[in-house]
Amino acid sequence: MLNYIHILRPHHWVKNILIFIPLLASHEINDLTLKNSIFAFIAFSLIASCGYIFNDMVDLKSDKIHPYKKKRPLASGKVTKSQCKLIIIFLLFAVTLISVQINLKFLCTVIIYFLLTVIYSIILKKKIILDIIVLSIFYTIRIFAGSQATDILISTWLFTFSIFIFFSLAAVKRQIELVYLVKIKKTNVKGRGYKVTNLPIITMMAICSGYLSIVILAFYINSDEVIKLYSSPYFLWGVCFVLLYWITRIIFTASSGLMHLDPIIYASKDKISYICLIIILFFITASII
């Protein structure tokens, strides 16, 4: 049973908290929007697990020789491909049942997300740069799914901010792989298309995109929308400085070879990231009161 739970990668479900962002950003919290957001979180967690399992099936050969991924249930032989297919079918059925209870728009978003993960696993992850763009879309589509589930429109500011910050984090994910290659003295990522010589440009992409997201946030703070939602919007400038520190630290940690996980998964286990989150929540609360 533990192997079946492990193959679902529940630790990655933390990414689906992004579904609650439209609800929180709009301040439209009520029984219906909260209930739909919770159901959307559950549905997206299950459909994301379908994508992870399918990706494990596609990457089975390369995972078996990877120093970390070889410990995964499928790569280690603790779970078979046939069992994986049955799990995917069961999860798809459960996701459909949950999604139709929300609305058809959310169901369509879930279907599009899953189809995109399948295409990514088979084709897109082998295309340099394009794979980073698709990874950033995976994050952004979670926010869009939260919007569809609650019928809350997301602003252009939020959409633009999410694209740049998630592109930065997706680039960090590739940066981690390249730094590891340098460490073990190999030249290219198997099945990816990246080489260690690409490390400087990937790092620069992560830095530039991350800093651009903060610039967008700064412009948002000075927009008319903020005046309607926040009584003391100047406190939001504190969020900019905390994010500036957090993004820089994440990229620095990755470049130093001290990060071996997805950056968001790393952040979910990192004490300093939690401190940054608490400070951000303080500034946001202060801006509302």
Side-chain angles (χ1 to χ4, degrees):
M1 183 58 67
L2 286 176
N3 290 322
Y4 294 141
I5 294 174
H6 187 199
I7 203 168
L8 298 179
R9 299 194 211 175
H11 56 287
H12 280 270
W13 292 353
V14 67
K15 300 174 184 177
N16 299 320
I17 292 176
L18 294 170
I19 283 173
F20 293 94
I21 287 183
L23 175 70
L24 299 174
S26 65
H27 303 174
E28 295 183 28
I29 303 175
N30 55 56
D31 291 342
L32 180 60
T33 56
L34 183 59
K35 183 193 76 171
N36 284 353
S37 293
I38 292 172
F39 278 127
F41 174 84
I42 296 170
F44 231 85
S45 295
L46 298 181
I47 200 66
S49 291
C50 285
Y52 297 141
I53 295 171
F54 183 82
N55 187 70
D56 285 350
M57 293 170 65
V58 174
D59 287 349
L60 182 56
K61 289 184 179 179
S62 59
D63 284 356
K64 284 183 177 181
I65 59 176
H66 193 278
Y68 301 116
K69 296 178 181 179
K70 67 181 180 182
K71 298 177 183 179
R72 290 176 178 175
L74 183 59
S76 62
K78 294 176 183 177
V79 176
T80 66
K81 268 192 171 185
S82 297
Q83 291 171 326
C84 286
K85 292 175 183 177
L86 289 175
I87 294 172
I88 289 175
I89 292 172
F90 174 78
L91 291 178
L92 288 174
F93 180 72
V95 168
T96 303
L97 285 180
I98 296 171
S99 298
V100 294
Q101 300 301 316
I102 301 174
N103 58 52
L104 292 178
K105 292 186 297 182
F106 177 77
L107 176 60
C108 290
T109 304
V110 167
I111 293 172
I112 290 171
Y113 172 83
F114 180 67
L115 292 176
L116 189 58
T117 59
V118 170
I119 297 171
Y120 171 80
S121 296
I122 298 173
I123 302 171
L124 298 179
K125 70 179 179 182
K126 301 175 184 178
K127 309 296 182 181
I128 61 172
I129 309 303
L130 185 59
D131 67 318
I132 297 178
I133 294 174
V134 174
L135 283 176
S136 66
I137 291 173
F138 285 152
Y139 291 119
T140 305
I141 203 171
R142 286 170 163 85
I143 298 176
F144 180 74
S147 170
Q148 296 296 86
T150 56
D151 287 323
I152 297 173
L153 294 176
I154 55 176
S155 68
T156 304
W157 293 109
L158 176 58
F159 184 74
T160 309
F161 170 79
S162 65
I163 288 175
F164 281 101
I165 194 167
F166 294 137
F167 184 89
S168 176
L169 294 176
V172 169
K173 190 171 183 178
R174 290 293 171 259
Q175 181 191 19
I176 294 168
E177 295 176 350
L178 292 174
V179 169
Y180 177 73
L181 284 183
V182 173
K183 186 177 180 180
I184 62 175
K185 298 179 179 179
K186 287 191 176 182
T187 58
N188 63 301
V189 182
K190 184 177 178 59
R192 296 290 187 190
Y194 291 98
K195 298 180 180 180
V196 293
T197 53
N198 301 137
L199 182 56
I201 186 64
I202 295 296
T203 303
M204 188 58 65
M205 286 164 54
I207 295 171
C208 292
S209 186
Y211 288 174
L212 272 174
S213 69
I214 298 172
V215 172
I216 292 166
L217 180 59
F219 279 118
Y220 170 69
I221 293 172
N222 287 289
S223 69
D224 294 334
E225 293 181 33
V226 166
I227 297 175
K228 298 176 183 177
L229 294 172
Y230 302 91
S231 57
S232 304
Y234 49 83
F235 278 109
L236 293 176
W237 285 104
V239 177
C240 290
F241 289 109
V242 176
L243 276 179
L244 179 63
Y245 166 77
W246 183 79
I247 289 172
T248 304
R249 180 177 176 272
I250 285 290
I251 296 172
F252 185 84
T253 303
S255 65
S256 301
L258 301 176
M259 192 185 301
H260 305 291
L261 302 167
D262 181 293
I264 291 185
I265 302 303
Y266 171 84
S268 69
K269 301 178 181 180
D270 177 47
K271 292 181 180 178
I272 293 181
S273 293
Y274 278 109
I275 293 173
C276 289
L277 177 61
I278 291 170
I279 297 173
I280 286 173
L281 292 175
F282 167 77
F283 282 126
I284 293 175
T285 303
S287 66
I288 295 173
I289 296 174

